[in-house]
Amino acid sequence: MGRMSDQRARWTRATVYPDMWVDPDDDPRDRDGVGPDGELATLLEFLTDYRTTLRMKCEGLDAEQLARRSVPPSTMSLLGLVRHLAEVERDWRNWISDADPLPKLYGARDADFDGAVAEQAVVDAAYADLEREQAATDAALAEHPDLGERLGKDGIAVRELLVHRIEEYARHCGHADLLRECVDGRVGQ
């Protein structure tokens, strides 16, 4: 007689490669043809792909699943990651500005994760916040196409900020992989 297990079954929607999130023909990150020309275009494409990956890891889940915490004492959840990245996008604008810092979106430290509760209004607001903050940071940086230009009080180079943005999304996409697998067993790239 087989033993029962509390482990979730692992699954994917991919049929071509079982370790992929989706089949290559269905992957919005796969582009036909030659890659982008130049360093700026390459960095922006990587940023776009990681942003898309985060959304893909959250798709198809309800408010409770998005707000589900990983393991105590961690407050990390997929919804918390969405809120955190909205907060971080806003903060990056503070790095490149000489003006007074923009206020925090969610208040006190860790409020982005602590306030990630299983309510559809919170989910909807988090996605709206993320889209708005990404667009605002993108627009602010579009005014500075020279990757070597130094901005803000600390003189951060545009290149450094773009690479840091990619790193932040990449790291949190790794967290999202594990969080999603804990929620429903879905795995993949």
Side-chain angles (χ1 to χ4, degrees):
M1 181 195 260
R3 293 183 51 156
M4 292 190 61
S5 172
D6 61 329
Q7 292 181 329
R8 299 186 189 284
R10 296 173 58 136
W11 67 281
T12 179
R13 288 200 178 122
T15 59
V16 177
Y17 304 105
D19 63 337
M20 295 182 79
W21 189 258
V22 295
D23 287 328
D25 289 344
D26 299 328
D27 193 334
R29 300 164 299 180
D30 286 347
R31 296 169 190 83
D32 291 332
V34 178
D37 286 329
E39 185 180 5
L40 178 58
T42 300
L43 292 171
L44 292 174
E45 186 171 290
F46 271 87
L47 179 61
T48 297
D49 286 350
Y50 278 118
R51 286 173 168 176
T52 301
T53 299
L54 179 70
R55 285 193 167 273
M56 291 170 70
K57 296 296 177 172
C58 295
E59 72 184 6
L61 299 177
D62 62 27
E64 185 280 323
Q65 291 170 314
L66 287 168
R68 194 175 298 166
R69 311 291 182 172
S70 56
V71 292
S74 176
T75 58
M76 191 175 292
S77 66
L78 288 165
L79 179 57
L81 288 176
V82 171
R83 289 167 51 97
H84 172 71
L85 287 165
E87 190 78 77
V88 169
E89 288 280 357
R90 174 174 278 219
D91 194 44
W92 283 324
R93 289 199 313 285
N94 290 331
W95 294 10
I96 63 174
S97 173
D98 291 323
D100 289 336
L102 297 166
K104 295 282 190 189
L105 282 175
Y106 304 112
R109 181 178 172 91
D110 293 331
D112 41 1
F113 288 102
D114 293 336
V117 296
E119 297 172 10
Q120 191 58 48
V122 174
V123 171
D124 295 342
Y127 280 115
D129 291 344
L130 182 60
E131 288 177 21
R132 182 190 64 247
E133 297 304 321
Q134 286 173 337
T137 304
D138 290 348
L141 283 173
E143 296 176 16
H144 305 281
D146 176 359
L147 293 173
E149 183 181 357
R150 296 198 169 270
L151 305 171
K153 297 173 186 109
D154 295 328
I156 187 168
V158 173
R159 176 183 292 103
E160 182 181 352
L161 181 60
L162 281 170
V163 170
H164 185 73
R165 290 172 84 195
I166 293 165
E167 177 273 334
E168 184 87 9
Y169 277 92
R171 182 166 32 93
H172 289 313
C173 282
H175 295 134
D177 282 338
L178 297 172
L179 288 163
R180 179 62 187 253
E181 189 173 356
C182 286
V183 168
D184 68 356
R186 187 161 182 200
V187 297
Q189 89 287 8

